[in-house]
Amino acid sequence: MRTVTVVGASLAGLYAARELRAQGFDGRLVIVGDEPHQPYDRPPLSKDFLTGRADEDQIALTDAEESTALDAEWLLGTRALALDARARTVVLDDGRTLLSDGVVIATGASARRLPGHTPVGVHTLRTLDDARALRAQLTRGARRVVVIGGGFIGAETAAACVGLGHHVTVVEAAPLPLLPQLGAEMAAMCAALHRRGGAELITGTGVAAVRGTVAVTGVELSDGRVLDADVVVVGIGAVPNTAWLTDSTLALRDGVLCDDGCVTDLPQVVAVGDVARVGGSRAEHWTSATEQPRVAVANLLAGQTVRTARSLPYFWSDQYGSRIQFAGRRQDGDTVRVTEGELTDGAPGEGGFLAVYERDGRTTAVLSVDRPRPFMRLRRELGRAQSDLGDQARPAVLQGGPAAL
């Protein structure tokens, strides 16, 4: 290969560029990013960056020295408009086209927005510019903040806003926050964290409309109630950035469809990170964005699937002074039991707790609140068990090359 284009200049794209050089690619490397910024770390945006404990230098993922060592052409503030996958041509919004021998798709996802009119004061929190705008508004004195969505971004933003002294209400349409991820018992623990932390939590109710002609004044709920609001943060999930691939030959379904090695139906095109649906699932987690590129690049350079990405799902979340860590694959019907520490009135007791999810006599996942050491031990054990299962299935995967999608 003489030229490889990485489309996407965030975490997964940067890791892909690093892997290309680490695995011996010494040709032309082009990195396209629609944001004007060098790659930065997104998790702190809803935590330390929002509260002012971290600045932009501290969330940067690279520096001038590494950029020089990568020897890449950075095309920042430039959006990819289309991909002719078979001709391996990327069309840019400035009229240029990039002809490449290989393409890495790392365009990530965009924050899902509410339909209809969006008055001033309604925010999403996905990008550095989003965080800048929200942080600026939160420094203008006490505000009535309504957070729509009790997922990770919503919960972390709510906790940050409480810490800054704002009056915070979290609205979650489901009966409990993080119910699909954690199950009912541990989702109830997250609800207790909100209430103990100082936020009002409203569950089982959707949002009918955001009120305000110029600036936001309130949020109307589906049950008819109206919450006064000076600031609204919408955290209702993300949509994979695949619109620019609509006219390509790639298969798209809630992301770019790939085999277990991040390879699309064309071996010269791979996908990684939030935009990639690898082996039937799409994971919007930091670990997926950092682990998939090693496998994807190996397969891209080999021209076929020679390695598979079987990372154990893992995420963490900082809420109200507590760190929540989860690893594994929980399913409905799994039982959960606390093995260390305790829950007090539904919330973590002093010192946190450790819980394991089980199915048919084996551990499927582990959850920790402020118990990092035993959590990491169980996470490693789960990872080894998954690797053993993967090794048994791997020969069948390696023989066929890219899966037919």
Side-chain angles (χ1 to χ4, degrees):
M1 286 190 176
R2 295 183 178 181
T3 301
V4 173
T5 297
V6 178
V7 186
S10 191
L11 182 69
L14 175 64
Y15 270 67
R18 288 173 174 170
E19 284 297 331
L20 281 159
R21 293 308 191 204
Q23 295 187 34
F25 175 70
D26 58 2
R28 182 189 180 202
L29 174 58
V30 184
I31 304 174
V32 179
D34 60 351
E35 294 185 59
H37 317 292
Q38 287 282 333
Y40 57 87
D41 205 14
R42 294 188 191 277
L45 294 181
S46 56
K47 308 180 191 68
D48 288 349
F49 183 84
L50 196 60
T51 60
R53 292 194 296 267
D55 58 25
E56 293 182 22
D57 288 341
Q58 291 170 291
I59 66 172
L61 289 171
T62 188
D63 55 25
E65 182 178 355
E66 183 185 24
S67 294
T68 300
L70 278 177
D71 189 25
E73 298 176 36
W74 293 86
L75 304 181
L76 299 177
T78 303
R79 187 179 298 274
L81 294 182
L83 171 68
D84 184 337
R86 297 195 182 278
R88 289 161 288 180
T89 300
V90 177
V91 181
L92 305 179
D93 62 358
D94 60 7
R96 285 180 289 177
T97 60
L98 299 172
L99 179 62
S100 304
D101 301 299
V103 175
V104 180
I105 298 171
T107 43
S110 297
R112 192 183 303 275
R113 300 178 183 274
L114 293 174
H117 172 61
T118 303
V120 174
V122 177
H123 299 264
T124 56
L125 186 52
R126 181 80 186 183
T127 69
L128 176 56
D129 289 339
D130 291 340
R132 284 173 172 174
L134 180 56
R135 187 164 79 166
Q137 195 162 13
L138 293 174
T139 58
R140 298 172 186 166
R143 292 287 188 269
R144 297 166 298 180
V145 180
V146 174
V147 177
I148 301 173
F152 300 115
I153 295 298
E156 291 169 0
T157 302
C161 289
V162 168
L164 290 170
H166 302 293
H167 179 275
V168 179
T169 303
V170 179
V171 179
E172 169 57 52
L176 290 166
L178 297 172
L179 183 59
Q181 293 85 358
L182 302 182
E185 185 174 348
M186 292 303 153
M189 177 272 299
C190 291
L193 273 181
H194 280 291
R195 297 187 175 106
R196 188 175 73 180
E200 180 183 359
L201 176 64
I202 299 174
T203 59
T205 303
V207 171
V210 174
R211 291 190 172 186
T213 303
V214 177
V216 65
T217 61
V219 174
E220 181 181 347
L221 304 183
S222 56
D223 62 8
R225 284 179 289 175
V226 176
L227 306 175
D228 293 334
D230 306 301
V231 177
V232 173
V233 182
V234 180
I236 54 174
V239 180
N241 291 325
T242 59
W244 69 287
L245 298 168
T246 301
D247 294 329
S248 73
T249 60
L250 299 181
L252 307 175
R253 188 171 65 248
D254 185 36
V256 180
L257 296 187
C258 307
D259 68 8
D260 288 340
C262 304
V263 180
T264 70
D265 48 353
L266 297 174
Q268 68 270 23
V269 180
V270 298
V272 293
D274 292 355
V275 75
R277 190 170 185 83
V278 179
S281 63
R282 189 173 67 86
E284 295 179 13
H285 299 314
W286 193 90
T287 48
S288 299
T290 57
E291 293 175 358
Q292 289 172 356
R294 178 175 296 127
V295 170
V297 165
N299 295 334
L300 179 67
L301 296 178
Q304 60 179 329
T305 302
V306 296
R307 296 181 60 182
T308 57
R310 297 187 59 84
S311 59
L312 184 74
Y314 166 66
F315 64 78
W316 75 94
S317 180
D318 294 325
Q319 301 177 23
Y320 306 101
S322 292
R323 167 152 290 196
I324 301 170
Q325 294 173 285
F326 180 92
R329 292 183 171 87
R330 186 203 74 86
Q331 296 180 9
D332 291 342
D334 288 1
T335 59
V336 59
R337 60 186 178 92
V338 175
T339 59
E340 294 185 18
E342 61 182 1
L343 296 175
T344 303
D345 296 328
E350 185 177 354
F353 71 91
L354 183 76
V356 295
Y357 293 81
E358 297 169 322
R359 181 171 62 251
D360 298 330
R362 63 184 181 87
T363 299
T364 58
V366 57
L367 171 69
S368 163
V369 175
D370 296 329
R371 296 250 172 161
R373 294 185 66 179
F375 171 84
M376 294 306 295
R377 174 178 55 80
L378 286 179
R379 179 190 173 192
R380 287 192 295 269
E381 291 177 5
L382 278 173
R384 285 194 293 268
Q386 176 180 271
S387 296
D388 291 342
L389 290 174
D391 288 340
Q392 296 172 16
R394 193 160 295 159
V397 175
L398 296 182
Q399 292 170 3
L405 301 179

